[in-house]
Amino acid sequence: MSERDEAVAKRAEAVMTPNYRPAPLAFVRGEGAWLYDQGDARYLDFAAGIAVNALGHNHPALTRAIAEQARDLLHVSNLFLNEPAVALAERLCALSFADRVFFGNSGTEANEAAMKLARRYMRLVRGEDRWGFVAMEHSFHGRTWASISATGQPKYHEGFAPLVPGFTHVPFDDLDAVEAAVDDTTCAVLVEPIQGEGGVITPSPEYLPGLRDLCDRRGVLLIYDEVQTGVGRTGRWFAHQHADGAKPDIMTLAKGLGGGVPIGAMLCTDEVAQGFAPGAHASTFGGNPLACRAGLTVLDVIEREGLCERAARVGKYLGGQLQSLVDRHWGLVEVRGRGLMRGLAVNPEGFDRATLVAAARARGLLMTMAGPDALRLTPPLIIETGHVDEAIQILDDALKESAL
Ligand SMILES: Cc1ncc(COP(=O)(O)O)c(C=O)c1O
């Protein structure tokens, strides 16, 4: 941390609302997998803005597309059409189960759209008074009111009661619990294919196909929150594609889709889309040409540079190298996740994760924490095995220094 970073930290403390606890680092530029602070010290970015910078920093195709689009047209509203939005929707449909797309600006907004669509479809199209959601313990769906109500972690509810009614939470990866919780008031089951903020928890291979079957039998919709897992992160375009035949009715995306430009998307089938009539839902900024052009470029680059395959290959290598750390350090317990969405669970007995994150940062590696016991590594999809080796070396040194 340079003196200039410290000065920015002081100014932030004086004027920003106190709901964040940022590290005292004000980055000024990035290049590939690296970030640079005001003193030009560089950091290997295995946080990627919490799984956002899919193409890393300053990817030439993305910066060019954004600059060109900014020159041509930034915003027109949904009172008119814009071609980049239509092209991105076409592209997302071609890559997925979906027939139709709604654009917003964030993950939580995409989830709001998903839940509103599910409820409205059940009421107005199917004529059934089903308005409840079954969601999962330890899940995370965002910070707006319905999304925190869907989120199965009480710490995110603190001080915000009363929550939005209609949410039942059951243990993750437990089909019997969902079976028991679904009743004739349920409209949808909402689940992350791999829980991210909950601690990078991958369910058993039978879970998503089992949920699909259950939802079909019980006449309810299946919603996947792929805000964190989507757009190549786990080695497929969407994480549920690892589970054959487990397609949802609705899926939400954000984070990696814009490569750093804010965008959220709610994808759905033709059938379910009937739940939205003109005026039923909207977003002023949603689907603006700038964000959609960025999204299109991210998808183009992922395809052209084979980044899903790379996430699978380099992610497997990362998993193996993390396992070798687990084998060497008593403070580490297990490796979680898939592709380039990885959790490193720590020994809850006397192990302070925050100390390790700070020690790694001091050595030039950025990562995040997730759930009660995990470090989380979500590097850009463009990394190579050499970046993994550097990260593992830093982690190893930091662990040794902390005598863990
Ligand atoms: C699975 C999941 N859903 C929703 C969100 C909320 O996204 P946003 O912060 O863009 O609203 C997140 C963010 O971490 C997430 O991981």
Side-chain angles (χ1 to χ4, degrees), residues 86-123:
V86 177
L88 181 57
E90 286 170 344
R91 199 65 192 285
L92 287 169
C93 289
L95 292 172
S96 74
F97 72 98
D99 307 306
R100 293 182 181 274
V101 181
F102 168 85
F103 290 114
N105 309 285
S106 64
T108 199
E109 255 191 276
N111 284 333
E112 292 281 333
M115 291 183 278
K116 285 179 74 178
L117 176 63
R119 211 175 248 188
R120 204 167 190 277
Y121 165 78
M122 281 294 177
R123 282 238 168 89

PDB file of all heavy atoms in Angstrom, residues 86-123:
ATOM      1  N   VAL A  86     -30.637  -6.657 -28.866  1.00  0.00           N
ATOM      2  CA  VAL A  86     -31.285  -7.760 -29.579  1.00  0.00           C
ATOM      3  C   VAL A  86     -30.242  -8.831 -29.919  1.00  0.00           C
ATOM      4  O   VAL A  86     -30.476 -10.034 -29.728  1.00  0.00           O
ATOM      5  CB  VAL A  86     -31.968  -7.241 -30.870  1.00  0.00           C
ATOM      6  CG1 VAL A  86     -32.590  -8.390 -31.657  1.00  0.00           C
ATOM      7  CG2 VAL A  86     -33.017  -6.199 -30.520  1.00  0.00           C
ATOM      8  N   ALA A  87     -29.072  -8.385 -30.345  1.00  0.00           N
ATOM      9  CA  ALA A  87     -28.010  -9.342 -30.714  1.00  0.00           C
ATOM     10  C   ALA A  87     -27.553 -10.142 -29.490  1.00  0.00           C
ATOM     11  O   ALA A  87     -27.317 -11.352 -29.581  1.00  0.00           O
ATOM     12  CB  ALA A  87     -26.828  -8.587 -31.332  1.00  0.00           C
ATOM     13  N   LEU A  88     -27.440  -9.461 -28.334  1.00  0.00           N
ATOM     14  CA  LEU A  88     -27.002 -10.191 -27.133  1.00  0.00           C
ATOM     15  C   LEU A  88     -28.065 -11.199 -26.694  1.00  0.00           C
ATOM     16  O   LEU A  88     -27.745 -12.320 -26.299  1.00  0.00           O
ATOM     17  CB  LEU A  88     -26.685  -9.200 -25.999  1.00  0.00           C
ATOM     18  CG  LEU A  88     -26.198  -9.849 -24.695  1.00  0.00           C
ATOM     19  CD1 LEU A  88     -24.950 -10.708 -24.909  1.00  0.00           C
ATOM     20  CD2 LEU A  88     -25.937  -8.792 -23.622  1.00  0.00           C
ATOM     21  N   ALA A  89     -29.331 -10.796 -26.786  1.00  0.00           N
ATOM     22  CA  ALA A  89     -30.409 -11.728 -26.427  1.00  0.00           C
ATOM     23  C   ALA A  89     -30.390 -12.941 -27.358  1.00  0.00           C
ATOM     24  O   ALA A  89     -30.510 -14.096 -26.914  1.00  0.00           O
ATOM     25  CB  ALA A  89     -31.760 -11.009 -26.492  1.00  0.00           C
ATOM     26  N   GLU A  90     -30.217 -12.677 -28.669  1.00  0.00           N
ATOM     27  CA  GLU A  90     -30.146 -13.802 -29.632  1.00  0.00           C
ATOM     28  C   GLU A  90     -29.014 -14.750 -29.260  1.00  0.00           C
ATOM     29  O   GLU A  90     -29.148 -15.971 -29.286  1.00  0.00           O
ATOM     30  CB  GLU A  90     -29.910 -13.259 -31.047  1.00  0.00           C
ATOM     31  CG  GLU A  90     -31.129 -12.614 -31.662  1.00  0.00           C
ATOM     32  CD  GLU A  90     -30.818 -11.862 -32.970  1.00  0.00           C
ATOM     33  OE1 GLU A  90     -29.622 -11.576 -33.260  1.00  0.00           O
ATOM     34  OE2 GLU A  90     -31.773 -11.530 -33.681  1.00  0.00           O
ATOM     35  N   ARG A  91     -27.883 -14.162 -28.908  1.00  0.00           N
ATOM     36  CA  ARG A  91     -26.688 -14.948 -28.594  1.00  0.00           C
ATOM     37  C   ARG A  91     -26.884 -15.793 -27.337  1.00  0.00           C
ATOM     38  O   ARG A  91     -26.515 -16.961 -27.290  1.00  0.00           O
ATOM     39  CB  ARG A  91     -25.552 -13.960 -28.403  1.00  0.00           C
ATOM     40  CG  ARG A  91     -24.204 -14.492 -28.498  1.00  0.00           C
ATOM     41  CD  ARG A  91     -23.903 -15.019 -29.908  1.00  0.00           C
ATOM     42  NE  ARG A  91     -22.670 -15.756 -29.799  1.00  0.00           N
ATOM     43  CZ  ARG A  91     -21.490 -15.176 -29.678  1.00  0.00           C
ATOM     44  NH1 ARG A  91     -21.381 -13.872 -29.749  1.00  0.00           N
ATOM     45  NH2 ARG A  91     -20.420 -15.920 -29.520  1.00  0.00           N
ATOM     46  N   LEU A  92     -27.472 -15.171 -26.298  1.00  0.00           N
ATOM     47  CA  LEU A  92     -27.693 -15.902 -25.047  1.00  0.00           C
ATOM     48  C   LEU A  92     -28.675 -17.053 -25.256  1.00  0.00           C
ATOM     49  O   LEU A  92     -28.510 -18.141 -24.699  1.00  0.00           O
ATOM     50  CB  LEU A  92     -28.202 -14.939 -23.959  1.00  0.00           C
ATOM     51  CG  LEU A  92     -27.157 -13.972 -23.407  1.00  0.00           C
ATOM     52  CD1 LEU A  92     -27.808 -12.895 -22.548  1.00  0.00           C
ATOM     53  CD2 LEU A  92     -26.078 -14.720 -22.611  1.00  0.00           C
ATOM     54  N   CYS A  93     -29.682 -16.805 -26.074  1.00  0.00           N
ATOM     55  CA  CYS A  93     -30.649 -17.879 -26.362  1.00  0.00           C
ATOM     56  C   CYS A  93     -29.965 -19.019 -27.119  1.00  0.00           C
ATOM     57  O   CYS A  93     -30.201 -20.194 -26.838  1.00  0.00           O
ATOM     58  CB  CYS A  93     -31.829 -17.333 -27.162  1.00  0.00           C
ATOM     59  SG  CYS A  93     -32.888 -16.261 -26.183  1.00  0.00           S
ATOM     60  N   ALA A  94     -29.091 -18.671 -28.071  1.00  0.00           N
ATOM     61  CA  ALA A  94     -28.411 -19.706 -28.857  1.00  0.00           C
ATOM     62  C   ALA A  94     -27.495 -20.557 -27.973  1.00  0.00           C
ATOM     63  O   ALA A  94     -27.292 -21.739 -28.231  1.00  0.00           O
ATOM     64  CB  ALA A  94     -27.608 -19.052 -29.982  1.00  0.00           C
ATOM     65  N   LEU A  95     -26.964 -19.961 -26.917  1.00  0.00           N
ATOM     66  CA  LEU A  95     -26.029 -20.683 -26.050  1.00  0.00           C
ATOM     67  C   LEU A  95     -26.711 -21.488 -24.956  1.00  0.00           C
ATOM     68  O   LEU A  95     -26.059 -22.251 -24.248  1.00  0.00           O
ATOM     69  CB  LEU A  95     -25.072 -19.690 -25.363  1.00  0.00           C
ATOM     70  CG  LEU A  95     -24.054 -18.967 -26.239  1.00  0.00           C
ATOM     71  CD1 LEU A  95     -23.341 -17.884 -25.434  1.00  0.00           C
ATOM     72  CD2 LEU A  95     -23.041 -19.962 -26.807  1.00  0.00           C
ATOM     73  N   SER A  96     -28.019 -21.287 -24.791  1.00  0.00           N
ATOM     74  CA  SER A  96     -28.675 -21.843 -23.595  1.00  0.00           C
ATOM     75  C   SER A  96     -30.008 -22.490 -23.942  1.00  0.00           C
ATOM     76  O   SER A  96     -30.405 -22.550 -25.096  1.00  0.00           O
ATOM     77  CB  SER A  96     -28.892 -20.722 -22.580  1.00  0.00           C
ATOM     78  OG  SER A  96     -29.955 -19.888 -23.002  1.00  0.00           O
ATOM     79  N   PHE A  97     -30.732 -22.884 -22.909  1.00  0.00           N
ATOM     80  CA  PHE A  97     -32.074 -23.450 -23.028  1.00  0.00           C
ATOM     81  C   PHE A  97     -33.098 -22.388 -23.432  1.00  0.00           C
ATOM     82  O   PHE A  97     -34.220 -22.715 -23.786  1.00  0.00           O
ATOM     83  CB  PHE A  97     -32.502 -24.002 -21.653  1.00  0.00           C
ATOM     84  CG  PHE A  97     -32.803 -22.877 -20.696  1.00  0.00           C
ATOM     85  CD1 PHE A  97     -34.110 -22.463 -20.487  1.00  0.00           C
ATOM     86  CD2 PHE A  97     -31.785 -22.186 -20.075  1.00  0.00           C
ATOM     87  CE1 PHE A  97     -34.398 -21.373 -19.659  1.00  0.00           C
ATOM     88  CE2 PHE A  97     -32.051 -21.096 -19.260  1.00  0.00           C
ATOM     89  CZ  PHE A  97     -33.345 -20.703 -19.044  1.00  0.00           C
ATOM     90  N   ALA A  98     -32.730 -21.099 -23.323  1.00  0.00           N
ATOM     91  CA  ALA A  98     -33.729 -20.022 -23.279  1.00  0.00           C
ATOM     92  C   ALA A  98     -34.245 -19.604 -24.655  1.00  0.00           C
ATOM     93  O   ALA A  98     -33.584 -19.779 -25.679  1.00  0.00           O
ATOM     94  CB  ALA A  98     -33.136 -18.809 -22.570  1.00  0.00           C
ATOM     95  N   ASP A  99     -35.453 -19.013 -24.637  1.00  0.00           N
ATOM     96  CA  ASP A  99     -36.048 -18.427 -25.847  1.00  0.00           C
ATOM     97  C   ASP A  99     -36.111 -16.908 -25.761  1.00  0.00           C
ATOM     98  O   ASP A  99     -36.206 -16.229 -26.785  1.00  0.00           O
ATOM     99  CB  ASP A  99     -37.494 -18.914 -26.035  1.00  0.00           C
ATOM    100  CG  ASP A  99     -37.596 -20.424 -26.000  1.00  0.00           C
ATOM    101  OD1 ASP A  99     -36.879 -21.077 -26.773  1.00  0.00           O
ATOM    102  OD2 ASP A  99     -38.389 -20.954 -25.180  1.00  0.00           O
ATOM    103  N   ARG A 100     -36.082 -16.389 -24.519  1.00  0.00           N
ATOM    104  CA  ARG A 100     -36.286 -14.944 -24.341  1.00  0.00           C
ATOM    105  C   ARG A 100     -35.434 -14.401 -23.200  1.00  0.00           C
ATOM    106  O   ARG A 100     -35.077 -15.146 -22.280  1.00  0.00           O
ATOM    107  CB  ARG A 100     -37.766 -14.650 -24.066  1.00  0.00           C
ATOM    108  CG  ARG A 100     -38.615 -14.963 -25.261  1.00  0.00           C
ATOM    109  CD  ARG A 100     -40.069 -14.640 -25.061  1.00  0.00           C
ATOM    110  NE  ARG A 100     -40.778 -15.012 -26.287  1.00  0.00           N
ATOM    111  CZ  ARG A 100     -40.901 -14.212 -27.341  1.00  0.00           C
ATOM    112  NH1 ARG A 100     -40.385 -12.990 -27.320  1.00  0.00           N
ATOM    113  NH2 ARG A 100     -41.543 -14.617 -28.416  1.00  0.00           N
ATOM    114  N   VAL A 101     -35.141 -13.106 -23.282  1.00  0.00           N
ATOM    115  CA  VAL A 101     -34.229 -12.484 -22.315  1.00  0.00           C
ATOM    116  C   VAL A 101     -34.776 -11.136 -21.857  1.00  0.00           C
ATOM    117  O   VAL A 101     -35.324 -10.379 -22.666  1.00  0.00           O
ATOM    118  CB  VAL A 101     -32.828 -12.254 -22.958  1.00  0.00           C
ATOM    119  CG1 VAL A 101     -31.861 -11.629 -21.953  1.00  0.00           C
ATOM    120  CG2 VAL A 101     -32.251 -13.554 -23.507  1.00  0.00           C
ATOM    121  N   PHE A 102     -34.618 -10.851 -20.564  1.00  0.00           N
ATOM    122  CA  PHE A 102     -34.859  -9.505 -20.022  1.00  0.00           C
ATOM    123  C   PHE A 102     -33.534  -8.998 -19.459  1.00  0.00           C
ATOM    124  O   PHE A 102     -32.845  -9.723 -18.744  1.00  0.00           O
ATOM    125  CB  PHE A 102     -35.905  -9.551 -18.893  1.00  0.00           C
ATOM    126  CG  PHE A 102     -35.988  -8.270 -18.101  1.00  0.00           C
ATOM    127  CD1 PHE A 102     -36.769  -7.215 -18.540  1.00  0.00           C
ATOM    128  CD2 PHE A 102     -35.264  -8.114 -16.921  1.00  0.00           C
ATOM    129  CE1 PHE A 102     -36.826  -6.013 -17.818  1.00  0.00           C
ATOM    130  CE2 PHE A 102     -35.316  -6.923 -16.203  1.00  0.00           C
ATOM    131  CZ  PHE A 102     -36.102  -5.874 -16.655  1.00  0.00           C
ATOM    132  N   PHE A 103     -33.178  -7.761 -19.743  1.00  0.00           N
ATOM    133  CA  PHE A 103     -31.915  -7.211 -19.245  1.00  0.00           C
ATOM    134  C   PHE A 103     -32.138  -6.221 -18.099  1.00  0.00           C
ATOM    135  O   PHE A 103     -33.036  -5.382 -18.154  1.00  0.00           O
ATOM    136  CB  PHE A 103     -31.160  -6.477 -20.359  1.00  0.00           C
ATOM    137  CG  PHE A 103     -30.613  -7.398 -21.413  1.00  0.00           C
ATOM    138  CD1 PHE A 103     -31.086  -7.356 -22.715  1.00  0.00           C
ATOM    139  CD2 PHE A 103     -29.619  -8.325 -21.094  1.00  0.00           C
ATOM    140  CE1 PHE A 103     -30.590  -8.207 -23.694  1.00  0.00           C
ATOM    141  CE2 PHE A 103     -29.113  -9.184 -22.061  1.00  0.00           C
ATOM    142  CZ  PHE A 103     -29.595  -9.121 -23.365  1.00  0.00           C
ATOM    143  N   GLY A 104     -31.282  -6.349 -17.092  1.00  0.00           N
ATOM    144  CA  GLY A 104     -31.203  -5.370 -16.010  1.00  0.00           C
ATOM    145  C   GLY A 104     -29.752  -4.968 -15.847  1.00  0.00           C
ATOM    146  O   GLY A 104     -28.953  -5.096 -16.793  1.00  0.00           O
ATOM    147  N   ASN A 105     -29.396  -4.544 -14.646  1.00  0.00           N
ATOM    148  CA  ASN A 105     -28.043  -3.998 -14.444  1.00  0.00           C
ATOM    149  C   ASN A 105     -27.208  -4.736 -13.419  1.00  0.00           C
ATOM    150  O   ASN A 105     -26.075  -4.339 -13.157  1.00  0.00           O
ATOM    151  CB  ASN A 105     -28.162  -2.539 -13.989  1.00  0.00           C
ATOM    152  CG  ASN A 105     -29.066  -1.757 -14.901  1.00  0.00           C
ATOM    153  OD1 ASN A 105     -28.690  -1.402 -16.002  1.00  0.00           O
ATOM    154  ND2 ASN A 105     -30.284  -1.522 -14.452  1.00  0.00           N
ATOM    155  N   SER A 106     -27.760  -5.773 -12.802  1.00  0.00           N
ATOM    156  CA  SER A 106     -27.041  -6.447 -11.719  1.00  0.00           C
ATOM    157  C   SER A 106     -27.650  -7.827 -11.493  1.00  0.00           C
ATOM    158  O   SER A 106     -28.715  -8.150 -12.038  1.00  0.00           O
ATOM    159  CB  SER A 106     -27.168  -5.635 -10.433  1.00  0.00           C
ATOM    160  OG  SER A 106     -28.530  -5.595 -10.038  1.00  0.00           O
ATOM    161  N   GLY A 107     -26.991  -8.582 -10.636  1.00  0.00           N
ATOM    162  CA  GLY A 107     -27.484  -9.920 -10.316  1.00  0.00           C
ATOM    163  C   GLY A 107     -28.787  -9.879  -9.550  1.00  0.00           C
ATOM    164  O   GLY A 107     -29.718 -10.622  -9.838  1.00  0.00           O
ATOM    165  N   THR A 108     -28.843  -8.986  -8.576  1.00  0.00           N
ATOM    166  CA  THR A 108     -30.060  -8.949  -7.758  1.00  0.00           C
ATOM    167  C   THR A 108     -31.258  -8.526  -8.594  1.00  0.00           C
ATOM    168  O   THR A 108     -32.363  -9.037  -8.417  1.00  0.00           O
ATOM    169  CB  THR A 108     -29.850  -8.022  -6.529  1.00  0.00           C
ATOM    170  OG1 THR A 108     -30.832  -8.341  -5.546  1.00  0.00           O
ATOM    171  CG2 THR A 108     -29.908  -6.551  -6.875  1.00  0.00           C
ATOM    172  N   GLU A 109     -31.044  -7.633  -9.537  1.00  0.00           N
ATOM    173  CA  GLU A 109     -32.140  -7.208 -10.419  1.00  0.00           C
ATOM    174  C   GLU A 109     -32.592  -8.336 -11.331  1.00  0.00           C
ATOM    175  O   GLU A 109     -33.780  -8.457 -11.645  1.00  0.00           O
ATOM    176  CB  GLU A 109     -31.648  -6.078 -11.316  1.00  0.00           C
ATOM    177  CG  GLU A 109     -32.131  -4.724 -10.954  1.00  0.00           C
ATOM    178  CD  GLU A 109     -31.794  -3.754 -12.055  1.00  0.00           C
ATOM    179  OE1 GLU A 109     -30.652  -3.248 -12.051  1.00  0.00           O
ATOM    180  OE2 GLU A 109     -32.637  -3.527 -12.921  1.00  0.00           O
ATOM    181  N   ALA A 110     -31.643  -9.131 -11.778  1.00  0.00           N
ATOM    182  CA  ALA A 110     -31.999 -10.287 -12.610  1.00  0.00           C
ATOM    183  C   ALA A 110     -32.847 -11.258 -11.786  1.00  0.00           C
ATOM    184  O   ALA A 110     -33.839 -11.819 -12.274  1.00  0.00           O
ATOM    185  CB  ALA A 110     -30.729 -10.977 -13.128  1.00  0.00           C
ATOM    186  N   ASN A 111     -32.477 -11.430 -10.516  1.00  0.00           N
ATOM    187  CA  ASN A 111     -33.254 -12.329  -9.659  1.00  0.00           C
ATOM    188  C   ASN A 111     -34.641 -11.760  -9.351  1.00  0.00           C
ATOM    189  O   ASN A 111     -35.621 -12.511  -9.284  1.00  0.00           O
ATOM    190  CB  ASN A 111     -32.487 -12.617  -8.370  1.00  0.00           C
ATOM    191  CG  ASN A 111     -31.355 -13.601  -8.601  1.00  0.00           C
ATOM    192  OD1 ASN A 111     -31.428 -14.433  -9.521  1.00  0.00           O
ATOM    193  ND2 ASN A 111     -30.308 -13.523  -7.803  1.00  0.00           N
ATOM    194  N   GLU A 112     -34.720 -10.458  -9.151  1.00  0.00           N
ATOM    195  CA  GLU A 112     -36.040  -9.840  -8.947  1.00  0.00           C
ATOM    196  C   GLU A 112     -36.929 -10.120 -10.157  1.00  0.00           C
ATOM    197  O   GLU A 112     -38.101 -10.476 -10.016  1.00  0.00           O
ATOM    198  CB  GLU A 112     -35.925  -8.318  -8.764  1.00  0.00           C
ATOM    199  CG  GLU A 112     -35.260  -7.875  -7.494  1.00  0.00           C
ATOM    200  CD  GLU A 112     -36.174  -7.941  -6.269  1.00  0.00           C
ATOM    201  OE1 GLU A 112     -37.400  -7.843  -6.403  1.00  0.00           O
ATOM    202  OE2 GLU A 112     -35.621  -8.092  -5.160  1.00  0.00           O
ATOM    203  N   ALA A 113     -36.359  -9.952 -11.347  1.00  0.00           N
ATOM    204  CA  ALA A 113     -37.138 -10.200 -12.568  1.00  0.00           C
ATOM    205  C   ALA A 113     -37.578 -11.661 -12.617  1.00  0.00           C
ATOM    206  O   ALA A 113     -38.728 -11.964 -12.977  1.00  0.00           O
ATOM    207  CB  ALA A 113     -36.298  -9.853 -13.799  1.00  0.00           C
ATOM    208  N   ALA A 114     -36.670 -12.565 -12.246  1.00  0.00           N
ATOM    209  CA  ALA A 114     -36.990 -14.000 -12.292  1.00  0.00           C
ATOM    210  C   ALA A 114     -38.136 -14.330 -11.345  1.00  0.00           C
ATOM    211  O   ALA A 114     -39.092 -15.035 -11.708  1.00  0.00           O
ATOM    212  CB  ALA A 114     -35.744 -14.810 -11.915  1.00  0.00           C
ATOM    213  N   MET A 115     -38.063 -13.787 -10.145  1.00  0.00           N
ATOM    214  CA  MET A 115     -39.092 -14.121  -9.152  1.00  0.00           C
ATOM    215  C   MET A 115     -40.428 -13.466  -9.510  1.00  0.00           C
ATOM    216  O   MET A 115     -41.486 -14.084  -9.365  1.00  0.00           O
ATOM    217  CB  MET A 115     -38.607 -13.698  -7.760  1.00  0.00           C
ATOM    218  CG  MET A 115     -37.436 -14.554  -7.285  1.00  0.00           C
ATOM    219  SD  MET A 115     -36.883 -14.169  -5.608  1.00  0.00           S
ATOM    220  CE  MET A 115     -35.827 -12.748  -5.873  1.00  0.00           C
ATOM    221  N   LYS A 116     -40.371 -12.237  -9.991  1.00  0.00           N
ATOM    222  CA  LYS A 116     -41.617 -11.574 -10.398  1.00  0.00           C
ATOM    223  C   LYS A 116     -42.257 -12.303 -11.567  1.00  0.00           C
ATOM    224  O   LYS A 116     -43.471 -12.497 -11.608  1.00  0.00           O
ATOM    225  CB  LYS A 116     -41.337 -10.104 -10.771  1.00  0.00           C
ATOM    226  CG  LYS A 116     -41.088  -9.212  -9.566  1.00  0.00           C
ATOM    227  CD  LYS A 116     -40.782  -7.772  -9.978  1.00  0.00           C
ATOM    228  CE  LYS A 116     -42.005  -7.019 -10.459  1.00  0.00           C
ATOM    229  NZ  LYS A 116     -41.652  -5.597 -10.809  1.00  0.00           N
ATOM    230  N   LEU A 117     -41.420 -12.736 -12.517  1.00  0.00           N
ATOM    231  CA  LEU A 117     -41.962 -13.469 -13.676  1.00  0.00           C
ATOM    232  C   LEU A 117     -42.602 -14.784 -13.234  1.00  0.00           C
ATOM    233  O   LEU A 117     -43.708 -15.130 -13.675  1.00  0.00           O
ATOM    234  CB  LEU A 117     -40.843 -13.739 -14.697  1.00  0.00           C
ATOM    235  CG  LEU A 117     -41.270 -14.575 -15.900  1.00  0.00           C
ATOM    236  CD1 LEU A 117     -42.338 -13.850 -16.734  1.00  0.00           C
ATOM    237  CD2 LEU A 117     -40.071 -14.919 -16.786  1.00  0.00           C
ATOM    238  N   ALA A 118     -41.917 -15.508 -12.345  1.00  0.00           N
ATOM    239  CA  ALA A 118     -42.439 -16.808 -11.901  1.00  0.00           C
ATOM    240  C   ALA A 118     -43.801 -16.633 -11.245  1.00  0.00           C
ATOM    241  O   ALA A 118     -44.775 -17.348 -11.541  1.00  0.00           O
ATOM    242  CB  ALA A 118     -41.453 -17.450 -10.924  1.00  0.00           C
ATOM    243  N   ARG A 119     -43.907 -15.662 -10.351  1.00  0.00           N
ATOM    244  CA  ARG A 119     -45.163 -15.444  -9.636  1.00  0.00           C
ATOM    245  C   ARG A 119     -46.273 -15.012 -10.598  1.00  0.00           C
ATOM    246  O   ARG A 119     -47.404 -15.508 -10.559  1.00  0.00           O
ATOM    247  CB  ARG A 119     -44.939 -14.365  -8.573  1.00  0.00           C
ATOM    248  CG  ARG A 119     -45.788 -14.527  -7.376  1.00  0.00           C
ATOM    249  CD  ARG A 119     -45.416 -13.506  -6.322  1.00  0.00           C
ATOM    250  NE  ARG A 119     -44.815 -14.149  -5.165  1.00  0.00           N
ATOM    251  CZ  ARG A 119     -44.536 -13.481  -4.038  1.00  0.00           C
ATOM    252  NH1 ARG A 119     -44.777 -12.202  -3.950  1.00  0.00           N
ATOM    253  NH2 ARG A 119     -44.007 -14.119  -3.014  1.00  0.00           N
ATOM    254  N   ARG A 120     -45.936 -14.104 -11.483  1.00  0.00           N
ATOM    255  CA  ARG A 120     -46.953 -13.553 -12.393  1.00  0.00           C
ATOM    256  C   ARG A 120     -47.407 -14.611 -13.407  1.00  0.00           C
ATOM    257  O   ARG A 120     -48.587 -14.689 -13.751  1.00  0.00           O
ATOM    258  CB  ARG A 120     -46.378 -12.326 -13.115  1.00  0.00           C
ATOM    259  CG  ARG A 120     -47.441 -11.354 -13.600  1.00  0.00           C
ATOM    260  CD  ARG A 120     -46.816 -10.032 -14.008  1.00  0.00           C
ATOM    261  NE  ARG A 120     -47.823  -9.010 -14.260  1.00  0.00           N
ATOM    262  CZ  ARG A 120     -48.479  -8.893 -15.405  1.00  0.00           C
ATOM    263  NH1 ARG A 120     -48.230  -9.714 -16.401  1.00  0.00           N
ATOM    264  NH2 ARG A 120     -49.392  -7.956 -15.559  1.00  0.00           N
ATOM    265  N   TYR A 121     -46.459 -15.430 -13.849  1.00  0.00           N
ATOM    266  CA  TYR A 121     -46.806 -16.507 -14.795  1.00  0.00           C
ATOM    267  C   TYR A 121     -47.785 -17.476 -14.146  1.00  0.00           C
ATOM    268  O   TYR A 121     -48.789 -17.865 -14.750  1.00  0.00           O
ATOM    269  CB  TYR A 121     -45.531 -17.242 -15.240  1.00  0.00           C
ATOM    270  CG  TYR A 121     -45.786 -18.555 -15.920  1.00  0.00           C
ATOM    271  CD1 TYR A 121     -46.189 -18.609 -17.254  1.00  0.00           C
ATOM    272  CD2 TYR A 121     -45.629 -19.753 -15.226  1.00  0.00           C
ATOM    273  CE1 TYR A 121     -46.441 -19.829 -17.876  1.00  0.00           C
ATOM    274  CE2 TYR A 121     -45.868 -20.974 -15.839  1.00  0.00           C
ATOM    275  CZ  TYR A 121     -46.282 -21.008 -17.163  1.00  0.00           C
ATOM    276  OH  TYR A 121     -46.528 -22.214 -17.766  1.00  0.00           O
ATOM    277  N   MET A 122     -47.491 -17.860 -12.916  1.00  0.00           N
ATOM    278  CA  MET A 122     -48.374 -18.811 -12.230  1.00  0.00           C
ATOM    279  C   MET A 122     -49.782 -18.231 -12.088  1.00  0.00           C
ATOM    280  O   MET A 122     -50.770 -18.893 -12.365  1.00  0.00           O
ATOM    281  CB  MET A 122     -47.807 -19.139 -10.836  1.00  0.00           C
ATOM    282  CG  MET A 122     -46.680 -20.133 -10.870  1.00  0.00           C
ATOM    283  SD  MET A 122     -47.261 -21.758 -11.417  1.00  0.00           S
ATOM    284  CE  MET A 122     -45.708 -22.638 -11.440  1.00  0.00           C
ATOM    285  N   ARG A 123     -49.858 -16.975 -11.648  1.00  0.00           N
ATOM    286  CA  ARG A 123     -51.151 -16.330 -11.406  1.00  0.00           C
ATOM    287  C   ARG A 123     -51.926 -16.064 -12.689  1.00  0.00           C
ATOM    288  O   ARG A 123     -53.050 -16.502 -12.855  1.00  0.00           O
ATOM    289  CB  ARG A 123     -50.943 -14.966 -10.745  1.00  0.00           C
ATOM    290  CG  ARG A 123     -50.641 -14.991  -9.307  1.00  0.00           C
ATOM    291  CD  ARG A 123     -51.685 -14.183  -8.489  1.00  0.00           C
ATOM    292  NE  ARG A 123     -51.484 -14.499  -7.078  1.00  0.00           N
ATOM    293  CZ  ARG A 123     -50.634 -13.817  -6.293  1.00  0.00           C
ATOM    294  NH1 ARG A 123     -49.982 -12.792  -6.746  1.00  0.00           N
ATOM    295  NH2 ARG A 123     -50.492 -14.185  -5.039  1.00  0.00           N
TER     296      ARG A 123
END
